[in-house]
Amino acid sequence: LGTFIPMIGLVTVGSHALADRYAYFPFIGIYLLLAWSLPARWFERPRARQGLTAGIACALAALLICSTLQVRHWRNSERLYAHTLAVTTGNALIHVNLGNTYLHAGQREAAREQYLQALRIRPQYAKAYLQLGLICEQTGQSAQAARHFRQALAIGRDYAGGAYPLGGRERATALHHLGQALLGEGNLEEAQQVFSALLAARPEWTPTVCYQMARAYAARGDDARAWPFLEAAAQSGFAQWERLATDSAFKDLRDTPRFREWLARKGRD
C-alpha cells in the first residue's frame, strides 16, 4: 500500500503533479485486467494460440522500440530537459533545471537565458532569482548579485498568486550569498544584519560567517571590530587556522603582537 502514497495526493513528493514512475504500480492492474479478460476458449485451438502469441510478440516488440526511443532522452540532464521543453509549454521548473545544468558546465550565458525564460513564465520564481544572483556573484557583479538575492528572499508563500518561494536550505543559501555580496560592496553593517538572520535559522554556519565578518573588518583596517568575530569563530568551532597565515585580509593584523600570541595559543589548543 505504501507504493500508492506518491500517487493519491495525500503526501506531496516534489513539486510535480505527474511523473512516469507513478504509473508503474497501477499498470499492474491494467495488465492483469487485459490478461484475464481474454476468453479461455481462445487458447484451446492451436491456430488461436499461435495468433495470440504472434500478436503478443508484436506488441512487446512495439513496446521495446518505444522504450528504446524514450531511453535516448535520458542519456544526460541537458538532453532530458531539452526534450521536456520540446514537448511541454510554460515549464518554468525545467527551464531552471536546464539552466542549472548549463551553469554546472560553465555555460553562464546559456544558464542566464534559461533563468530569465523561467521568470517570463513565472515572475515570482524565487529560485530563478537565486541562480541569477549566483551568476552575477561569479562574474564579480556584487551589486547586481545582491539585487537578485533580495528579489529571491522577498518572494513569500503566496501560492495562490503563483509564487514559488525558496525552501529552508535555499533561503539560507540566499542569505549567505547576499551577505557575501554586501561584503563585496563594502556594506559591512547590512551584511552583519543579513548574517544575523542567517545564523538565527542556521546556527551551524556560525564559524564560517564569523570568519567572513572578521575578514571584512580586518581588510578595512577596523581591528577593534574584527577581534570579536575572530573570537566568536574560534569559540564556535572554526579550525582552519592555516588560512589566517595566508589570507591577505589579515595582513596588517598579522603584524601585531596580540595576533601572533593569539594564533599561537589557538595552534596549541
Side-chain angles (χ1 to χ4, degrees):
L1 293 177
T3 57
F4 286 106
I5 292 176
M7 306 168 227
I8 58 181
L10 296 179
V11 178
T12 302
V13 181
S15 58
H16 40 264
L18 301 173
D20 288 349
R21 63 181 179 273
Y22 291 172
Y24 296 162
F25 188 85
F27 274 12
I28 294 176
I30 297 177
Y31 299 148
L32 291 175
L33 177 64
L34 291 174
W36 290 350
S37 64
L38 297 176
R41 64 178 181 274
W42 288 9
F43 297 91
E44 295 174 355
R45 289 181 288 183
R47 287 190 176 181
R49 286 200 300 270
Q50 292 174 359
L52 285 172
T53 301
I56 293 172
C58 290
L60 290 175
L63 291 173
L64 176 62
I65 293 172
C66 291
S67 297
T68 301
L69 294 174
Q70 186 69 12
V71 166
R72 292 167 59 185
H73 300 304
W74 290 78
R75 289 183 179 176
N76 54 60
S77 297
E78 180 179 349
R79 186 163 185 168
L80 174 62
Y81 296 143
H83 171 70
T84 304
L85 292 175
V87 298
T88 61
T89 57
N91 202 330
L93 172 64
I94 297 302
H95 278 293
V96 168
N97 288 350
L98 181 57
N100 293 343
T101 301
Y102 286 140
L103 187 59
H104 183 72
Q107 303 178 46
R108 294 194 184 98
E109 289 308 313
R112 188 195 305 273
E113 180 54 37
Q114 292 301 319
Y115 300 141
L116 292 174
Q117 184 63 30
L119 289 170
R120 294 186 191 105
I121 298 169
R122 181 174 287 185
Q124 295 192 73
Y125 199 162
K127 190 170 182 179
Y129 284 118
L130 171 60
Q131 297 302 108
L132 284 172
L134 293 177
I135 291 177
C136 292
E137 183 181 75
Q138 292 174 6
T139 54
Q141 300 172 292
S142 297
Q144 190 77 352
R147 184 171 70 87
H148 287 313
F149 293 138
R150 287 193 180 96
Q151 288 173 312
L153 291 165
I155 295 175
R157 299 183 179 276
D158 181 18
Y159 297 107
Y164 196 164
L166 298 174
R169 180 170 295 183
E170 291 172 339
R171 188 171 183 83
T173 299
L175 285 169
H176 184 223
H177 286 280
L178 174 58
Q180 289 182 315
L182 293 170
L183 290 180
E185 291 184 286
N187 192 344
L188 274 61
E189 287 72 19
E190 187 177 356
Q192 186 172 346
Q193 294 176 3
V194 170
F195 283 141
S196 295
L198 168 62
L199 294 181
R202 297 281 176 173
E204 66 272 16
W205 288 26
T206 300
T208 299
V209 168
C210 288
Y211 178 84
Q212 289 175 337
M213 288 301 302
R215 187 179 187 279
Y217 280 119
R220 181 186 281 187
D222 193 344
D223 296 351
R225 291 193 177 186
W227 272 111
F229 284 106
L230 273 178
E231 292 287 1
Q235 292 173 6
S236 59
F238 185 81
Q240 301 177 24
W241 303 112
E242 65 279 1
R243 292 176 59 183
L244 290 170
T246 57
D247 194 329
S248 60
F250 295 101
K251 180 180 178 181
D252 294 335
L253 196 62
R254 278 197 298 268
D255 293 335
T256 64
R258 178 184 177 184
F259 183 87
R260 290 195 294 268
E261 180 183 350
W262 181 82
L263 188 58
R265 186 173 67 253
K266 292 300 177 184
R268 289 194 299 270
D269 295 342

